[in-house]
Short mmCIF file of all heavy atoms in Angstrom, two decimals:
data_model
loop_
_atom_site.label_atom_id
_atom_site.label_comp_id
_atom_site.label_asym_id
_atom_site.label_seq_id
_atom_site.Cartn_x
_atom_site.Cartn_y
_atom_site.Cartn_z
N HIS A 2 14.36 10.97 3.11
CA HIS A 2 14.34 12.25 4.00
C HIS A 2 15.81 12.33 4.59
O HIS A 2 16.33 11.34 5.14
CB HIS A 2 13.29 12.15 5.04
CG HIS A 2 11.88 12.46 4.41
ND1 HIS A 2 11.47 12.06 3.30
CD2 HIS A 2 10.99 13.18 4.97
CE1 HIS A 2 10.26 12.50 3.09
NE2 HIS A 2 9.83 13.25 4.09
N GLU A 3 16.24 13.52 4.62
CA GLU A 3 17.59 13.84 5.13
C GLU A 3 17.61 13.49 6.66
O GLU A 3 18.58 12.95 7.06
CB GLU A 3 17.83 15.29 4.84
CG GLU A 3 19.38 15.63 5.20
CD GLU A 3 20.35 14.86 4.42
OE1 GLU A 3 20.03 14.42 3.30
OE2 GLU A 3 21.43 14.68 4.98
N GLU A 4 16.60 13.88 7.47
CA GLU A 4 16.63 13.64 8.81
C GLU A 4 16.66 12.22 9.13
O GLU A 4 17.43 11.71 10.05
CB GLU A 4 15.50 14.26 9.57
CG GLU A 4 14.19 13.76 9.28
CD GLU A 4 13.26 14.88 8.47
OE1 GLU A 4 13.71 16.02 8.41
OE2 GLU A 4 12.16 14.52 8.14
N TRP A 5 16.13 11.28 8.33
CA TRP A 5 16.12 9.86 8.59
C TRP A 5 17.52 9.39 8.43
O TRP A 5 18.19 8.54 9.14
CB TRP A 5 15.13 9.17 7.56
CG TRP A 5 15.20 7.65 7.54
CD1 TRP A 5 16.11 6.83 7.16
CD2 TRP A 5 14.24 6.84 8.19
NE1 TRP A 5 15.74 5.53 7.32
CE2 TRP A 5 14.49 5.48 7.97
CE3 TRP A 5 12.88 7.09 8.85
CZ2 TRP A 5 13.85 4.40 8.49
CZ3 TRP A 5 12.19 6.10 9.23
CH2 TRP A 5 12.58 4.74 9.07
N ARG A 6 18.10 9.90 7.41
CA ARG A 6 19.51 9.42 6.91
C ARG A 6 20.51 9.91 8.08
O ARG A 6 21.35 9.32 8.52
CB ARG A 6 19.92 9.96 5.64
CG ARG A 6 21.36 9.56 5.28
CD ARG A 6 21.79 10.12 3.88
NE ARG A 6 20.72 9.89 2.90
CZ ARG A 6 20.23 10.82 2.12
NH1 ARG A 6 20.58 12.12 2.21
NH2 ARG A 6 19.24 10.67 1.18
N GLN A 7 20.38 11.12 8.61
CA GLN A 7 21.22 11.69 9.56
C GLN A 7 21.08 11.15 10.89
O GLN A 7 21.99 10.87 11.67
CB GLN A 7 20.97 13.28 9.65
CG GLN A 7 21.62 13.98 8.46
CD GLN A 7 21.31 15.45 8.40
OE1 GLN A 7 20.49 15.93 9.27
NE2 GLN A 7 21.80 16.17 7.47
N GLU A 8 19.70 10.87 11.31
CA GLU A 8 19.46 10.41 12.65
C GLU A 8 19.64 8.93 12.90
O GLU A 8 19.89 8.51 13.91
CB GLU A 8 18.00 10.68 12.99
CG GLU A 8 17.62 12.06 13.18
CD GLU A 8 16.27 12.38 13.37
OE1 GLU A 8 15.33 11.47 12.99
OE2 GLU A 8 15.86 13.42 13.90
N GLY A 9 19.45 8.12 11.74
CA GLY A 9 19.45 6.76 11.86
C GLY A 9 18.04 6.24 12.26
O GLY A 9 17.25 7.02 12.74
N PRO A 10 17.75 4.95 12.14
CA PRO A 10 16.33 4.64 12.25
C PRO A 10 15.77 4.83 13.71
O PRO A 10 14.69 5.05 13.94
CB PRO A 10 16.23 3.12 11.84
CG PRO A 10 17.69 2.71 11.85
CD PRO A 10 18.59 3.98 11.62
N LEU A 11 16.62 4.30 14.78
CA LEU A 11 16.15 4.39 16.15
C LEU A 11 15.83 5.72 16.57
O LEU A 11 14.77 6.05 17.27
CB LEU A 11 17.16 3.67 17.07
CG LEU A 11 16.66 3.57 18.55
CD1 LEU A 11 15.36 2.67 18.65
CD2 LEU A 11 17.72 2.85 19.35
N LYS A 12 16.74 6.76 16.41
CA LYS A 12 16.62 8.15 16.75
C LYS A 12 15.25 8.68 16.06
O LYS A 12 14.51 9.58 16.60
CB LYS A 12 17.78 8.97 16.46
CG LYS A 12 18.46 9.38 17.69
CD LYS A 12 19.60 10.35 17.30
CE LYS A 12 20.23 10.87 18.58
NZ LYS A 12 21.52 11.56 18.29
N HIS A 13 15.17 8.50 14.81
CA HIS A 13 14.03 8.86 13.93
C HIS A 13 12.73 8.37 14.56
O HIS A 13 11.78 9.11 14.73
CB HIS A 13 14.22 8.45 12.53
CG HIS A 13 13.14 8.97 11.66
ND1 HIS A 13 13.01 10.25 11.17
CD2 HIS A 13 12.03 8.28 11.04
CE1 HIS A 13 11.92 10.41 10.41
NE2 HIS A 13 11.35 9.24 10.27
N ALA A 14 12.81 7.11 14.91
CA ALA A 14 11.46 6.48 15.61
C ALA A 14 11.26 7.20 16.86
O ALA A 14 10.10 7.44 17.12
CB ALA A 14 11.73 5.01 15.65
N LYS A 15 12.19 7.32 17.69
CA LYS A 15 11.86 8.04 18.92
C LYS A 15 11.36 9.50 18.71
O LYS A 15 10.54 9.82 19.52
CB LYS A 15 13.19 8.13 19.83
CG LYS A 15 13.67 6.88 20.25
CD LYS A 15 14.98 7.07 21.12
CE LYS A 15 15.43 5.82 21.78
NZ LYS A 15 16.63 5.84 22.49
N ARG A 16 11.74 10.12 17.64
CA ARG A 16 11.11 11.38 17.37
C ARG A 16 9.77 11.50 16.79
O ARG A 16 8.98 12.31 17.11
CB ARG A 16 12.17 12.25 16.35
CG ARG A 16 11.77 13.57 16.04
CD ARG A 16 12.70 14.37 15.28
NE ARG A 16 12.93 13.66 13.93
CZ ARG A 16 12.06 13.81 12.91
NH1 ARG A 16 11.05 14.60 13.10
NH2 ARG A 16 12.28 13.18 11.74
N ILE A 17 9.41 10.38 16.06
CA ILE A 17 8.18 10.45 15.52
C ILE A 17 7.07 9.84 16.20
O ILE A 17 5.88 10.19 16.04
CB ILE A 17 8.10 9.97 13.97
CG1 ILE A 17 8.37 8.47 13.98
CG2 ILE A 17 9.02 10.62 13.14
CD1 ILE A 17 8.32 7.75 12.62
N TYR A 18 7.38 8.83 17.15
CA TYR A 18 6.36 8.19 17.93
C TYR A 18 5.79 9.29 18.86
O TYR A 18 6.68 9.75 19.70
CB TYR A 18 6.92 7.04 18.58
CG TYR A 18 6.96 5.75 17.70
CD1 TYR A 18 7.94 5.51 16.93
CD2 TYR A 18 5.84 4.89 17.69
CE1 TYR A 18 8.05 4.38 16.16
CE2 TYR A 18 5.92 3.69 16.92
CZ TYR A 18 7.01 3.60 16.18
OH TYR A 18 6.99 2.33 15.36
N PRO A 19 4.57 9.40 19.06
CA PRO A 19 3.87 10.30 20.13
C PRO A 19 4.36 9.99 21.47
O PRO A 19 4.53 10.78 22.39
CB PRO A 19 2.48 10.09 19.88
CG PRO A 19 2.29 9.79 18.47
CD PRO A 19 3.45 9.01 18.19
N LEU A 20 4.65 8.61 21.67
CA LEU A 20 5.02 8.28 23.22
C LEU A 20 6.50 8.52 23.29
O LEU A 20 7.17 8.25 24.37
CB LEU A 20 4.68 6.91 23.39
CG LEU A 20 3.22 6.56 23.54
CD1 LEU A 20 3.00 5.07 23.89
CD2 LEU A 20 2.59 7.36 24.68
N GLY A 21 7.21 8.89 22.31
CA GLY A 21 8.66 9.20 22.31
C GLY A 21 9.62 8.03 22.31
O GLY A 21 10.76 8.23 22.54
N ARG A 22 9.12 6.81 21.92
CA ARG A 22 9.97 5.68 21.75
C ARG A 22 9.23 4.58 20.95
O ARG A 22 7.99 4.63 20.84
CB ARG A 22 10.13 5.05 23.13
CG ARG A 22 9.01 4.63 23.79
CD ARG A 22 9.26 4.11 25.22
NE ARG A 22 8.01 3.70 25.89
CZ ARG A 22 7.33 2.49 25.61
NH1 ARG A 22 7.92 1.63 24.70
NH2 ARG A 22 6.28 2.27 26.37
N PRO A 23 10.02 3.67 20.41
CA PRO A 23 9.38 2.59 19.67
C PRO A 23 8.91 1.61 20.77
O PRO A 23 9.36 1.64 21.90
CB PRO A 23 10.54 1.98 18.80
CG PRO A 23 11.76 2.43 19.40
CD PRO A 23 11.40 3.82 20.15
N GLY A 24 8.09 0.84 20.53
CA GLY A 24 7.45 -0.22 21.21
C GLY A 24 8.34 -1.36 21.50
O GLY A 24 9.43 -1.71 20.88
N GLU A 25 8.14 -2.15 22.65
CA GLU A 25 8.85 -3.31 23.01
C GLU A 25 8.02 -4.55 22.60
O GLU A 25 6.82 -4.51 22.72
CB GLU A 25 9.08 -3.40 24.56
CG GLU A 25 9.95 -2.22 25.07
CD GLU A 25 11.44 -2.33 24.60
OE1 GLU A 25 11.86 -3.41 24.24
OE2 GLU A 25 12.18 -1.30 24.45
N PRO A 26 8.64 -5.60 22.29
CA PRO A 26 7.84 -6.79 22.01
C PRO A 26 6.96 -7.33 23.08
O PRO A 26 5.78 -7.72 22.75
CB PRO A 26 8.94 -7.85 21.69
CG PRO A 26 10.27 -7.12 21.38
CD PRO A 26 10.11 -5.73 22.09
N GLU A 27 7.26 -7.11 24.32
CA GLU A 27 6.51 -7.51 25.35
C GLU A 27 5.06 -6.66 25.36
O GLU A 27 4.09 -7.04 25.92
CB GLU A 27 7.15 -7.28 26.68
CG GLU A 27 8.38 -8.20 26.97
CD GLU A 27 9.62 -7.73 26.24
OE1 GLU A 27 9.71 -6.54 25.82
OE2 GLU A 27 10.58 -8.50 26.12
N GLU A 28 5.25 -5.44 24.91
CA GLU A 28 4.04 -4.62 24.98
C GLU A 28 3.04 -5.08 23.94
O GLU A 28 1.76 -5.08 24.01
CB GLU A 28 4.40 -3.22 24.57
CG GLU A 28 5.18 -2.54 25.84
CD GLU A 28 5.76 -1.17 25.37
OE1 GLU A 28 6.45 -0.96 24.32
OE2 GLU A 28 5.44 -0.26 26.20
N VAL A 29 3.54 -5.67 22.77
CA VAL A 29 2.78 -6.17 21.80
C VAL A 29 2.22 -7.51 22.35
O VAL A 29 0.96 -7.87 22.18
CB VAL A 29 3.45 -6.42 20.44
CG1 VAL A 29 2.56 -7.16 19.46
CG2 VAL A 29 3.86 -5.08 19.87
N ALA A 30 2.96 -8.31 23.01
CA ALA A 30 2.61 -9.65 23.48
C ALA A 30 1.53 -9.43 24.60
O ALA A 30 0.62 -10.31 24.66
CB ALA A 30 3.82 -10.36 24.08
N ASN A 31 1.64 -8.37 25.35
CA ASN A 31 0.59 -8.12 26.38
C ASN A 31 -0.81 -7.96 25.75
O ASN A 31 -1.92 -8.38 26.37
CB ASN A 31 0.95 -6.80 27.16
CG ASN A 31 2.02 -7.14 28.18
OD1 ASN A 31 2.46 -8.28 28.47
ND2 ASN A 31 2.76 -6.09 28.57
N VAL A 32 -0.80 -7.25 24.66
CA VAL A 32 -2.08 -7.05 23.99
C VAL A 32 -2.69 -8.34 23.47
O VAL A 32 -3.85 -8.63 23.43
CB VAL A 32 -2.09 -5.85 22.86
CG1 VAL A 32 -3.39 -5.87 21.99
CG2 VAL A 32 -1.59 -4.63 23.49
N ILE A 33 -1.80 -9.15 22.71
CA ILE A 33 -2.11 -10.52 22.36
C ILE A 33 -2.63 -11.37 23.51
O ILE A 33 -3.75 -12.01 23.33
CB ILE A 33 -0.95 -11.20 21.66
CG1 ILE A 33 -0.66 -10.28 20.28
CG2 ILE A 33 -1.30 -12.63 21.28
CD1 ILE A 33 0.71 -10.71 19.76
N ASN A 34 -1.99 -11.35 24.61
CA ASN A 34 -2.43 -12.14 25.77
C ASN A 34 -3.83 -11.75 26.14
O ASN A 34 -4.67 -12.55 26.56
CB ASN A 34 -1.49 -11.99 26.86
CG ASN A 34 -0.24 -12.80 26.55
OD1 ASN A 34 -0.18 -13.83 25.86
ND2 ASN A 34 0.96 -12.45 27.29
N PHE A 35 -4.07 -10.37 26.25
CA PHE A 35 -5.36 -9.91 26.65
C PHE A 35 -6.39 -10.50 25.72
O PHE A 35 -7.51 -10.84 26.10
CB PHE A 35 -5.37 -8.43 26.74
CG PHE A 35 -6.77 -7.82 26.91
CD1 PHE A 35 -7.52 -8.04 28.04
CD2 PHE A 35 -7.29 -7.16 25.85
CE1 PHE A 35 -8.85 -7.55 28.14
CE2 PHE A 35 -8.68 -6.76 25.85
CZ PHE A 35 -9.33 -6.81 27.00
N LEU A 36 -6.20 -10.24 24.34
CA LEU A 36 -7.14 -10.72 23.39
C LEU A 36 -7.44 -12.15 23.45
O LEU A 36 -8.55 -12.52 22.97
CB LEU A 36 -6.76 -10.16 21.95
CG LEU A 36 -6.69 -8.60 21.79
CD1 LEU A 36 -6.15 -8.36 20.58
CD2 LEU A 36 -8.10 -8.06 21.82
N LEU A 37 -6.48 -12.85 23.72
CA LEU A 37 -6.77 -14.38 23.94
C LEU A 37 -7.34 -14.84 25.23
O LEU A 37 -7.65 -15.89 25.40
CB LEU A 37 -5.29 -15.09 23.74
CG LEU A 37 -4.78 -14.98 22.35
CD1 LEU A 37 -3.42 -15.69 22.22
CD2 LEU A 37 -5.72 -15.62 21.29
N SER A 38 -7.42 -13.89 26.15
CA SER A 38 -7.87 -14.24 27.45
C SER A 38 -9.40 -14.13 27.60
O SER A 38 -10.09 -13.63 26.73
CB SER A 38 -7.29 -13.34 28.63
OG SER A 38 -7.94 -11.98 28.42
N ASP A 39 -9.99 -14.81 28.61
CA ASP A 39 -11.37 -14.73 28.79
C ASP A 39 -11.88 -13.26 29.21
O ASP A 39 -13.00 -13.01 29.00
CB ASP A 39 -11.69 -15.50 30.05
CG ASP A 39 -11.67 -17.05 29.76
OD1 ASP A 39 -11.81 -17.36 28.52
OD2 ASP A 39 -11.52 -17.83 30.71
N GLU A 40 -10.85 -12.35 29.63
CA GLU A 40 -11.18 -11.01 29.77
C GLU A 40 -11.74 -10.26 28.57
O GLU A 40 -12.25 -9.21 28.67
CB GLU A 40 -10.03 -10.21 30.57
CG GLU A 40 -9.89 -10.87 31.99
CD GLU A 40 -8.55 -10.56 32.50
OE1 GLU A 40 -7.66 -9.99 31.74
OE2 GLU A 40 -8.39 -10.69 33.72
N ALA A 41 -11.33 -10.76 27.45
CA ALA A 41 -11.60 -10.13 26.18
C ALA A 41 -12.84 -10.79 25.45
O ALA A 41 -12.92 -10.60 24.35
CB ALA A 41 -10.35 -10.09 25.31
N SER A 42 -13.55 -11.57 26.18
CA SER A 42 -14.54 -12.48 25.60
C SER A 42 -15.69 -11.70 24.89
O SER A 42 -16.35 -12.11 24.02
CB SER A 42 -15.17 -13.34 26.68
OG SER A 42 -15.86 -12.56 27.59
N PHE A 43 -15.80 -10.37 25.25
CA PHE A 43 -16.88 -9.57 24.65
C PHE A 43 -16.32 -8.63 23.55
O PHE A 43 -17.01 -7.84 22.92
CB PHE A 43 -17.60 -8.78 25.76
CG PHE A 43 -19.04 -8.36 25.25
CD1 PHE A 43 -20.00 -9.33 25.17
CD2 PHE A 43 -19.40 -7.02 25.15
CE1 PHE A 43 -21.17 -9.00 24.69
CE2 PHE A 43 -20.71 -6.67 24.79
CZ PHE A 43 -21.65 -7.73 24.67
N VAL A 44 -15.09 -8.80 23.24
CA VAL A 44 -14.36 -7.96 22.19
C VAL A 44 -14.46 -8.66 20.89
O VAL A 44 -14.17 -9.75 20.74
CB VAL A 44 -12.86 -7.69 22.62
CG1 VAL A 44 -12.25 -6.95 21.40
CG2 VAL A 44 -12.76 -7.02 23.76
N SER A 45 -15.09 -8.04 19.94
CA SER A 45 -15.05 -8.57 18.61
C SER A 45 -15.11 -7.55 17.42
O SER A 45 -15.44 -6.43 17.54
CB SER A 45 -16.41 -9.53 18.34
OG SER A 45 -17.47 -8.65 18.51
N GLY A 46 -14.52 -7.98 16.38
CA GLY A 46 -14.69 -7.06 15.20
C GLY A 46 -13.92 -5.83 15.17
O GLY A 46 -14.25 -4.84 14.61
N HIS A 47 -12.69 -5.82 15.92
CA HIS A 47 -11.90 -4.64 15.93
C HIS A 47 -10.53 -4.74 15.66
O HIS A 47 -9.97 -5.90 15.88
CB HIS A 47 -12.02 -3.97 17.44
CG HIS A 47 -13.32 -3.38 17.72
ND1 HIS A 47 -13.70 -2.13 17.33
CD2 HIS A 47 -14.39 -3.94 18.50
CE1 HIS A 47 -14.97 -1.88 17.79
NE2 HIS A 47 -15.38 -2.98 18.39
N THR A 48 -9.93 -3.78 15.24
CA THR A 48 -8.49 -3.80 15.04
C THR A 48 -7.89 -3.03 16.16
O THR A 48 -8.29 -1.97 16.41
CB THR A 48 -7.97 -3.10 13.67
OG1 THR A 48 -8.71 -3.74 12.67
CG2 THR A 48 -6.54 -3.13 13.51
N VAL A 49 -6.90 -3.66 16.90
CA VAL A 49 -6.24 -2.92 17.91
C VAL A 49 -4.90 -2.53 17.44
O VAL A 49 -4.02 -3.34 17.05
CB VAL A 49 -6.05 -3.98 19.16
CG1 VAL A 49 -5.38 -3.19 20.34
CG2 VAL A 49 -7.34 -4.33 19.56
N ALA A 50 -4.64 -1.20 17.36
CA ALA A 50 -3.31 -0.58 17.00
C ALA A 50 -2.35 -0.52 18.18
O ALA A 50 -2.69 0.03 19.16
CB ALA A 50 -3.58 0.73 16.48
N VAL A 51 -1.41 -1.40 18.19
CA VAL A 51 -0.34 -1.31 19.14
C VAL A 51 0.87 -0.61 18.58
O VAL A 51 1.77 -1.25 18.21
CB VAL A 51 0.01 -2.78 19.68
CG1 VAL A 51 0.98 -2.70 20.86
CG2 VAL A 51 -1.31 -3.56 20.01
N ASP A 52 0.71 0.69 18.51
CA ASP A 52 1.74 1.46 17.67
C ASP A 52 2.09 2.76 18.43
O ASP A 52 2.74 3.62 17.80
CB ASP A 52 1.15 1.77 16.30
CG ASP A 52 -0.02 2.76 16.44
OD1 ASP A 52 -0.54 3.09 17.59
OD2 ASP A 52 -0.56 3.10 15.43
N GLY A 53 1.94 2.87 19.71
CA GLY A 53 2.36 4.16 20.47
C GLY A 53 1.79 5.29 19.91
O GLY A 53 2.34 6.47 20.12
N GLY A 54 0.68 5.28 19.23
CA GLY A 54 -0.03 6.39 18.73
C GLY A 54 0.45 6.92 17.41
O GLY A 54 0.07 8.02 16.73
N LEU A 55 1.27 6.21 16.71
CA LEU A 55 2.00 6.49 15.50
C LEU A 55 0.89 6.66 14.31
O LEU A 55 1.06 7.72 13.55
CB LEU A 55 2.89 5.50 15.04
CG LEU A 55 3.68 5.84 13.82
CD1 LEU A 55 4.48 7.13 13.99
CD2 LEU A 55 4.58 4.58 13.28
N MET A 56 -0.08 5.83 14.27
CA MET A 56 -1.13 6.02 13.13
C MET A 56 -1.91 7.32 13.39
O MET A 56 -2.08 8.07 12.41
CB MET A 56 -2.02 4.82 13.13
CG MET A 56 -1.43 3.41 12.68
SD MET A 56 -1.27 3.44 11.02
CE MET A 56 0.26 3.95 10.56
N THR A 57 -2.07 7.76 14.54
CA THR A 57 -2.81 8.92 14.90
C THR A 57 -1.99 10.24 14.48
O THR A 57 -2.41 11.13 13.80
CB THR A 57 -3.06 9.13 16.33
OG1 THR A 57 -4.05 8.04 16.69
CG2 THR A 57 -3.76 10.37 16.68
N GLN A 58 -0.61 10.01 14.73
CA GLN A 58 0.33 11.06 14.37
C GLN A 58 0.39 11.19 12.80
O GLN A 58 0.46 12.17 12.28
CB GLN A 58 1.67 10.74 14.93
CG GLN A 58 2.76 11.62 14.49
CD GLN A 58 3.18 12.61 15.46
OE1 GLN A 58 2.50 12.73 16.47
NE2 GLN A 58 4.34 13.29 15.29
N LEU A 59 0.38 10.07 12.13
CA LEU A 59 0.50 10.06 10.60
C LEU A 59 -0.76 10.65 9.97
O LEU A 59 -0.61 11.02 8.82
CB LEU A 59 0.79 8.53 10.17
CG LEU A 59 2.14 8.06 10.57
CD1 LEU A 59 2.29 6.63 10.11
CD2 LEU A 59 3.23 8.96 10.12
N GLN A 60 -1.90 10.68 10.61
CA GLN A 60 -2.98 11.28 9.90
C GLN A 60 -2.79 12.66 9.72
O GLN A 60 -3.24 13.42 8.83
CB GLN A 60 -4.32 11.11 10.88
CG GLN A 60 -4.69 9.65 10.89
CD GLN A 60 -5.95 9.48 11.77
OE1 GLN A 60 -6.32 10.37 12.39
NE2 GLN A 60 -6.40 8.07 12.02
N ASP A 61 -2.05 13.23 10.65
CA ASP A 61 -1.73 14.74 10.51
C ASP A 61 -0.41 15.00 9.72
O ASP A 61 -0.17 16.08 9.14
CB ASP A 61 -1.61 15.39 12.10
CG ASP A 61 -2.74 15.27 12.72
OD1 ASP A 61 -3.92 15.41 12.13
OD2 ASP A 61 -2.69 15.20 13.99
N SER A 62 0.54 14.05 9.74
CA SER A 62 1.85 14.24 9.09
C SER A 62 2.20 13.14 8.33
O SER A 62 3.22 12.33 8.83
CB SER A 62 2.85 14.71 10.20
OG SER A 62 2.43 15.77 10.76
N PRO A 63 1.70 12.53 7.24
CA PRO A 63 1.89 11.44 6.61
C PRO A 63 3.35 11.33 6.09
O PRO A 63 3.87 10.23 5.79
CB PRO A 63 0.93 11.36 5.47
CG PRO A 63 0.33 12.61 5.31
CD PRO A 63 0.54 13.35 6.59
N SER A 64 4.05 12.42 5.77
CA SER A 64 5.31 12.39 5.27
C SER A 64 6.45 12.00 6.33
O SER A 64 7.54 11.77 5.84
CB SER A 64 5.70 13.84 4.86
OG SER A 64 5.77 14.79 5.93
N LEU A 65 5.92 11.71 7.54
CA LEU A 65 6.98 11.29 8.55
C LEU A 65 7.49 9.92 8.23
O LEU A 65 8.52 9.60 8.60
CB LEU A 65 6.35 11.37 9.96
CG LEU A 65 6.29 12.65 10.62
CD1 LEU A 65 5.41 12.57 11.96
CD2 LEU A 65 7.49 13.39 10.94
N MET A 66 6.73 9.16 7.49
CA MET A 66 7.01 7.75 7.41
C MET A 66 7.52 7.45 6.01
O MET A 66 7.70 6.35 5.55
CB MET A 66 5.72 6.90 7.63
CG MET A 66 5.37 6.74 9.10
SD MET A 66 6.63 6.14 10.07
CE MET A 66 6.90 4.43 9.53
N GLU A 67 7.91 8.42 5.30
CA GLU A 67 8.55 8.23 3.97
C GLU A 67 10.10 7.95 4.10
O GLU A 67 10.91 8.87 4.27
CB GLU A 67 8.32 9.39 2.99
CG GLU A 67 6.91 9.71 2.72
CD GLU A 67 6.72 10.85 1.88
OE1 GLU A 67 7.63 11.45 1.40
OE2 GLU A 67 5.48 11.26 1.69
N PRO A 68 10.42 6.64 4.23
CA PRO A 68 11.78 6.40 4.54
C PRO A 68 12.80 6.63 3.35
O PRO A 68 12.40 6.55 2.15
CB PRO A 68 11.78 4.89 4.93
CG PRO A 68 10.66 4.35 4.07
CD PRO A 68 9.62 5.42 4.01
N ASP A 69 13.94 6.90 3.62
CA ASP A 69 15.02 6.87 2.66
C ASP A 69 16.08 5.89 3.26
O ASP A 69 16.73 6.09 4.17
CB ASP A 69 15.64 8.28 2.64
CG ASP A 69 16.79 8.36 1.68
OD1 ASP A 69 17.23 7.43 1.16
OD2 ASP A 69 17.27 9.57 1.52
N PHE A 70 16.35 4.86 2.49
CA PHE A 70 17.14 3.76 3.11
C PHE A 70 18.53 3.81 2.56
O PHE A 70 19.26 2.86 2.47
CB PHE A 70 16.53 2.34 2.55
CG PHE A 70 15.19 2.08 3.26
CD1 PHE A 70 14.11 2.16 2.62
CD2 PHE A 70 15.26 1.83 4.70
CE1 PHE A 70 12.82 1.85 3.27
CE2 PHE A 70 14.05 1.54 5.28
CZ PHE A 70 12.87 1.54 4.67
N THR A 71 19.01 5.00 2.14
CA THR A 71 20.26 5.11 1.56
C THR A 71 21.42 5.02 2.70
O THR A 71 22.56 4.78 2.41
CB THR A 71 20.56 6.48 0.82
OG1 THR A 71 20.11 7.53 1.67
CG2 THR A 71 19.64 6.59 -0.44
N TRP A 72 21.01 4.98 3.95
CA TRP A 72 22.00 4.98 5.06
C TRP A 72 22.26 3.45 5.26
O TRP A 72 23.27 3.23 5.99
CB TRP A 72 21.32 5.65 6.32
CG TRP A 72 20.08 5.03 6.71
CD1 TRP A 72 18.87 5.44 6.33
CD2 TRP A 72 19.75 3.82 7.51
NE1 TRP A 72 17.79 4.68 6.77
CE2 TRP A 72 18.41 3.69 7.52
CE3 TRP A 72 20.63 2.88 8.08
CZ2 TRP A 72 17.72 2.62 8.22
CZ3 TRP A 72 20.00 1.83 8.82
CH2 TRP A 72 18.63 1.66 8.75
N ILE A 73 21.60 2.52 4.72
CA ILE A 73 21.74 1.18 4.89
C ILE A 73 23.06 0.76 4.21
O ILE A 73 23.43 1.04 3.09
CB ILE A 73 20.60 0.31 4.47
CG1 ILE A 73 19.45 0.52 5.29
CG2 ILE A 73 21.01 -1.18 4.54
CD1 ILE A 73 18.07 -0.15 4.81
#
């Protein structure tokens, strides 16, 4: 996609994430810590998406994630 090439990966990610930014490693680690804690003892059989709402966005606009790596 031309906008991916022109913006670069970080700017493109900021535009397509519903939260307006890519996630931080600590945010993923926080979810993992919760799932490993006693506070999550009744949680079972679920997938937790730690994606800033990206998967929800892609249900409406799947073409957003078709990368063009020619800028590399």
Side-chain angles (χ1 to χ4, degrees):
H2 279 39
E3 187 62 28
E4 62 246 359
W5 179 283
R6 186 179 310 126
Q7 290 175 351
E8 294 175 338
L11 185 58
K12 249 186 178 173
H13 182 72
K15 287 180 178 181
R16 184 175 59 80
I17 66 171
Y18 278 87
L20 292 182
R22 63 179 179 80
E25 297 292 331
E27 293 82 13
E28 293 171 306
V29 176
N31 289 339
V32 174
I33 293 168
N34 284 336
F35 168 72
L36 291 172
L37 292 172
S38 75
D39 290 339
E40 294 164 346
S42 63
F43 206 66
V44 176
S45 65
H47 289 278
T48 301
V49 180
V51 186
D52 65 0
L55 184 61
M56 292 281 96
T57 302
Q58 174 103 351
L59 292 179
Q60 290 175 3
D61 297 329
S62 304
S64 65
L65 286 173
M66 288 303 291
E67 294 176 10
D69 178 355
F70 293 106
T71 58
W72 56 268
I73 295 177

